[in-house]
Amino acid sequence: MKYLLTAFCALLLFSCSDDDNPVSVPVANRTVIIYISGENSLSSFAPGDLSEMAEASTDIGDNNHLVVFYDNASKTEKPYIAELKNGEVIKDKEYEEDFYASDPDRMREVLTYIMHRWSSKSYGIDLWGHASGWLITSDTIATTKAATRAYGIDNGNNTTSDRGKWINIPTLAKVFSQLPSKFLFVVGDCCFFQCVESAYELKDCTDYVFGCPSEVPGYGGAYKAIIPLFFNQSATFYNDIIDMCREMIGNEDFGVPMSVIRTSALDRFAAATAKIMPELLRYDDFAGKRLVYYGIYMGDNGKRAKGYYDPKNIVLEYAADSPYRQEWEDALNALVPNRIWCKKWLASHEDYGLDFSLFDASEETCSGISMFVPQPMYESLSPNPNETIKQMKWAKAVGLTD
């Protein structure tokens, strides 16, 4: 699910030309793309966010581009590509027909067009929409009764319904891998994006992944303050983004948990996790443990189970005496160079409106990411996460499948 990052935020927008072979502008320092999949229950938030992002475009410098793909629930306005420049939304390409923003072929087409039209030394992308972390189904793009799957949700009929089509994370990674350039960063401006399984799938497509392990609110974010930081040329630009979000929260009592993942550290973390995973696979549904979890896994069959567990918390409870614990923690620290922890987080959905006061949690026990560990309680869900996890590259890397 999506519900835009409140102290975190999004980015970027729009440009100009109507054919499929755009005339490129001079090479810029950075182009940041916001991919708005708003043909769902988030539709009402899109116009306001777009306006605030346009306002932020006045502070990104002359040699940068802020570009948006915009698909909202509108019976009259078709999807379009535009550049946000000097506070204005400048439409570049307007499509004649509506299409699923979650269709991998169309997404590839849109992103390739943008990279050619606004060529840059580096690129970033913000995925604006609904999401459910790594959870997948057998089809890349298929209709389901459940509202949350992977990324996107496009209902195809320009309404606010959340019964639609999505794109699974492995397919998203394939789309990204076929683009003209690799991303410097991927922002999951959507719920439950910051799970290690998704990051591992995307590791060859981007250097950094930003997101929240939990649900995030649907109303606006601090775009005016955050967007300019996505154009920072510093090697540690990611720290400036997280630190700004922390500053805007003001304290750790109430906010949105979030983090940045350094993808170059994922293989090291996977190797360390593979060593410690046997100690975590104690099939008791974590009974008797007050483990930190960020939300609920929901199956297409309506069944639910606690999910999105914080891996640091699990290791402290189940593998505190492991000979691999220090190696694992060192790998985790390399993977997550900066994060925000809070005692309570903003959430609007009754199924996810949790707060850390429910757990024995602290800044020392929360890593800012989530990780799946197979458990018997997931057998009742359809699709069964214990089986679908095997479709993720992460599962092989940590020994969950051959």
Side-chain angles (χ1 to χ4, degrees):
M1 294 178 56
K2 139 96 189 149
Y3 306 103
L4 298 183
L5 313 189
T6 289
F8 174 28
C9 278
L11 339 238
L12 344 154
L13 315 196
F14 312 20
S15 207
C16 292
S17 168
D18 277 322
D19 55 48
D20 293 328
N21 299 299
V23 177
S24 65
V25 295
V27 175
N29 284 327
R30 185 167 301 161
T31 293
V32 179
I33 305 163
I34 297 185
Y35 196 90
I36 295 183
S37 179
E39 201 168 317
N40 49 54
S41 61
L42 298 172
S43 177
S44 63
F45 296 110
D49 289 342
L50 179 59
S51 295
E52 190 174 349
M53 294 170 189
E55 181 182 359
S57 71
T58 61
D59 297 321
I60 67 173
D62 294 334
N63 200 27
N64 294 306
H65 299 294
L66 186 58
V67 181
V68 68
F69 167 74
Y70 190 85
D71 183 21
N72 208 25
S74 172
K75 299 293 187 181
T76 58
E77 187 177 56
K78 299 297 189 292
Y80 64 83
I81 296 171
E83 183 177 16
L84 292 184
K85 188 174 182 179
N86 298 324
E88 297 182 3
V89 177
I90 306 170
K91 289 187 179 181
D92 176 85
K93 182 180 179 69
E94 297 183 73
Y95 291 89
E96 295 181 358
E97 297 181 351
D98 193 20
F99 57 86
Y100 287 104
S102 49
D103 184 295
D105 291 333
R106 299 310 297 266
M107 176 183 279
R108 184 186 303 108
E109 172 192 314
V110 167
L111 297 179
T112 298
Y113 176 94
I114 291 173
M115 285 185 167
H116 283 313
R117 178 74 172 87
W118 292 277
S119 57
S120 296
K121 298 174 184 177
S122 63
Y123 298 86
I125 187 170
D126 177 86
L127 299 171
W128 189 110
H130 280 297
S132 61
W134 66 271
L135 294 184
I136 62 177
T137 65
S138 57
D139 291 321
T140 295
I141 177 170
T143 303
T144 180
K145 295 179 180 179
T148 54
R149 276 292 176 275
Y151 165 71
I153 302 183
D154 187 326
N155 57 54
N157 55 21
N158 284 302
T159 68
T160 58
S161 170
D162 281 339
R163 293 189 177 185
K165 300 186 179 183
W166 65 89
I167 185 169
N168 289 322
I169 297 301
T171 305
L172 182 68
K174 183 177 180 180
V175 169
F176 286 174
S177 71
Q178 296 171 340
L179 297 178
S181 297
K182 177 180 178 179
F183 289 113
L184 173 65
F185 59 83
V186 173
V187 176
D189 193 1
C190 41
C191 290
F192 306 118
F193 193 80
Q194 203 70 336
C195 53
V196 68
E197 298 83 6
S198 292
Y200 196 83
E201 208 73 24
L202 296 170
K203 70 183 179 68
D204 296 327
C205 310
T206 182
D207 294 334
Y208 298 95
V209 177
F210 293 85
C212 292
S214 66
E215 181 204 27
V216 290
Y219 48 85
Y223 304 115
K224 179 66 174 174
I226 300 300
I227 283 178
L229 298 180
F230 281 99
F231 295 90
N232 188 333
Q233 295 296 309
S234 168
T236 57
F237 77 103
Y238 52 86
N239 282 328
D240 295 335
I241 294 167
I242 300 296
D243 290 346
M244 174 60 76
C245 293
R246 183 182 293 107
E247 179 181 332
M248 299 191 75
I249 291 174
N251 59 69
E252 62 182 28
D253 291 332
F254 194 63
V256 177
M258 62 172 293
S259 67
V260 56
I261 287 175
R262 182 189 289 117
T263 60
S264 61
L266 275 163
D267 284 331
R268 174 185 174 186
F269 183 67
T273 301
K275 294 179 180 179
I276 213 166
M277 183 61 77
E279 299 178 62
L280 308 183
L281 291 173
R282 301 182 179 182
Y283 294 104
D284 62 355
D285 287 342
F286 302 132
K289 302 291 186 180
R290 296 178 65 186
L291 298 182
V292 175
Y293 67 96
Y294 296 103
I296 306 293
Y297 290 147
M298 294 193 296
D300 290 354
N301 61 352
K303 301 292 185 180
R304 305 180 182 191
K306 294 178 182 178
Y308 307 102
Y309 284 90
D310 193 293
K312 189 171 185 180
N313 190 224
I314 295 176
V315 167
L316 289 175
E317 290 290 344
Y318 280 92
D321 299 326
S322 171
Y324 305 113
R325 176 184 166 185
Q326 191 59 56
E327 176 185 352
W328 185 87
E329 289 192 356
D330 290 344
L332 175 64
N333 290 334
L335 178 70
V336 185
N338 206 338
R339 71 190 191 285
I340 296 175
W341 175 84
C342 46
K343 294 177 181 177
K344 295 185 179 181
W345 68 81
L346 299 167
S348 57
H349 196 288
E350 61 181 5
D351 291 321
Y352 307 114
L354 308 173
D355 64 71
F356 281 116
S357 65
L358 298 174
F359 317 110
D360 294 327
S362 67
E363 187 171 6
E364 288 69 37
T365 61
C366 296
S367 63
I369 64 174
S370 70
M371 186 178 78
F372 177 78
V373 177
Q375 294 288 294
M377 60 182 167
Y378 301 130
E379 296 290 335
S380 65
L381 275 63
S382 178
N384 177 1
N386 292 334
E387 293 300 319
T388 56
I389 188 63
K390 297 176 183 178
Q391 299 178 47
M392 306 296 290
K393 293 179 180 179
W394 172 257
K396 184 174 182 179
V398 300
L400 295 178
T401 187
D402 295 333

